[in-house]
Amino acid sequence: MDIGIPFSSLMLTIAFVGFHYSGAALILYIGFPPFYRSVGSMWFYYSGPHFDVYKKKVVSSSVGYLMLAGGILAFALLSGFHFLLILCLPICLYVGLRIRRHLLQETEGPHLWLVTPLTVKWPMFPFDVWTIGAGLLTLLALGSPWGE
């Protein structure tokens, strides 16, 4: 079945969207932008005892998973095995959803300036808008990666 898009370009686009989704989740988890209360400092390595050891473990393991996905991406692009790019998306989604779960458990909800009927019913609404928006902005920034 031909959809008019080269397979390697489609897989690369999916991998980039996954990386930006998980990267936006990680940035939000460490405190920027400040959507949630008591998340921690953006400069977590320099905050000393103010940043919890548990949060450092979450961030470290998340970065480890992203490095694994980056290694798969580099290997797939350098070796020509573009079908391996499909492995990046589940890893990146796992990182993003894992951070979402930790953020929901660790915070007291959105800041008061974000309290709306949507955030009262769905406290992770700002997180979802931020992370999914970052992934979709990747598509806009790439334009049409398959050359049309």
Side-chain angles (χ1 to χ4, degrees):
M1 181 174 138
D2 184 27
I3 57 174
I5 303 169
F7 179 75
S8 60
S9 296
L10 181 63
M11 292 298 104
L12 187 60
T13 303
I14 289 171
F16 279 145
V17 169
F19 270 108
H20 281 99
Y21 171 78
S22 57
L26 191 60
I27 289 170
L28 188 61
Y29 181 72
I30 60 176
F32 181 79
F35 289 159
Y36 293 92
R37 291 177 281 190
S38 71
V39 175
S41 171
M42 181 178 164
W43 312 107
F44 58 92
Y45 285 117
Y46 301 107
S47 61
H50 303 295
F51 197 74
D52 191 4
V53 175
Y54 176 72
K55 289 182 183 179
K56 282 186 181 180
K57 287 183 180 179
V58 171
V59 170
S60 298
S61 65
S62 298
V63 170
Y65 282 117
L66 289 178
M67 289 178 74
L68 172 68
I72 293 171
L73 175 71
F75 178 76
L77 291 177
L78 293 175
S79 67
F81 297 123
H82 295 139
F83 62 90
L84 291 176
L85 290 172
I86 198 71
L87 297 175
C88 292
L89 185 64
I91 294 170
C92 292
L93 285 178
Y94 170 74
V95 168
L97 294 175
R98 181 173 176 251
I99 289 173
R100 183 183 193 276
R101 186 187 70 224
H102 285 294
L103 192 66
L104 181 61
Q105 292 171 353
E106 295 172 13
T107 62
E108 300 170 356
H111 277 290
L112 294 177
W113 59 274
L114 281 173
V115 175
T116 63
L118 279 174
T119 58
V120 169
K121 190 169 184 176
W122 297 291
M124 296 308 290
F125 183 72
F127 177 90
D128 295 335
V129 168
W130 176 259
T131 54
I132 294 170
L136 293 178
L137 280 175
T138 304
L139 290 177
L140 291 176
L142 289 175
S144 180
W146 41 86
E148 290 182 23

